[in-house]
Amino acid sequence: MTEVVDGDTVRVVDATRGPITVRLAGADAPELDECWGGPARDFAVAALDKQFVAVIVDPTTGPVDGSGELPAYVVRVDGWNHNVEAARVGAARAATPVSRSGEIRSAEDNARVANLGLWGARCGAPAPAPQPQPQPRPQAAPPQSGVYYENCDDARARNAAPVLRGQPGYRAGLDRDNDGVGCE
């Protein structure tokens, strides 16, 4: 289980090691007293608080950093990697080089382009209003085949039985067992 400390630090109760403090490997979120620190923490809470996670130590980092924290990837059981996803939404920036730096940097670049989080509105300024999404253009209705069988006797009389799903004239009313073959 996890407890979020801030945007890039979580406490995890490990089955063998007991409680450990994990700092995101390769990603750095603002501290709570810094601009965007609160939103970064809020993102981490929404994603990780009280969740079961895997703590995956990157082979390029040491076992514990200078502050006594374990630099690692925090991955939920569904495979969602918080280190990458925090950068993707602008809640963290790429930091020290690790084996997944390319993925974290790419996620940060996408957040920058989309003006998300750290790359969006200035600290304290209101976030820009979301741009309306363009409405999808209506699609023309598929052309009607013009073929209609009143019943199976009608289909048989026209030498069209059996009528297969997808063929002109097929409809559910001709297919009692709903197997895709009408007027069997």
Side-chain angles (χ1 to χ4, degrees), residues 9 30 41 53 62 69 73 77 103 107-108 111 116 139 148 150 154 162 165 178:
T9 309
R41 181 184 188 282
V53 296
E69 298 168 333
Y73 301 107
V77 291
E103 188 177 359
E108 177 187 315
L116 298 176
Q139 299 293 320
Y148 178 82
E150 187 173 328
D154 183 29
R165 184 177 289 140
N178 196 28

Side-chain angles (χ1 to χ4, degrees), residues 104-159:
I104 295 168
R105 175 76 57 205
S106 176
E108 177 187 315
D109 291 345
N110 290 337
R112 283 177 185 263
V113 168
N115 295 318
L116 298 176
L118 296 165
W119 321 117
R122 288 184 340 268
C123 188
Q131 296 298 314
Q133 296 296 318
Q135 295 298 318
R137 294 181 21 188
Q139 299 293 320
Q144 297 295 323
S145 68
V147 178
Y148 178 82
Y149 304 113
E150 187 173 328
N151 54 38
C152 287
D153 289 337
D154 183 29
R156 286 187 195 97
R158 296 194 211 180
N159 246 357

Side-chain angles (χ1 to χ4, degrees), residues 1-3 10-15 17-22 51 53-55 74:
M1 293 295 271
T2 61
E3 173 194 351
V10 295
R11 288 192 186 98
V12 178
V13 178
D14 185 272
R17 295 180 279 189
I20 54 175
T21 302
V22 177
Q51 295 285 317
V53 296
V55 174
V74 179

Side-chain angles (χ1 to χ4, degrees), residues 149 151-156 160-163 170-171 173-176 179 181-184:
Y149 304 113
N151 54 38
C152 287
D153 289 337
D154 183 29
R156 286 187 195 97
V163 183
Y170 174 88
R171 59 187 174 85
L174 301 176
D175 187 1
R176 290 184 191 179
D179 65 353
V181 181
C183 303
E184 301 174 65

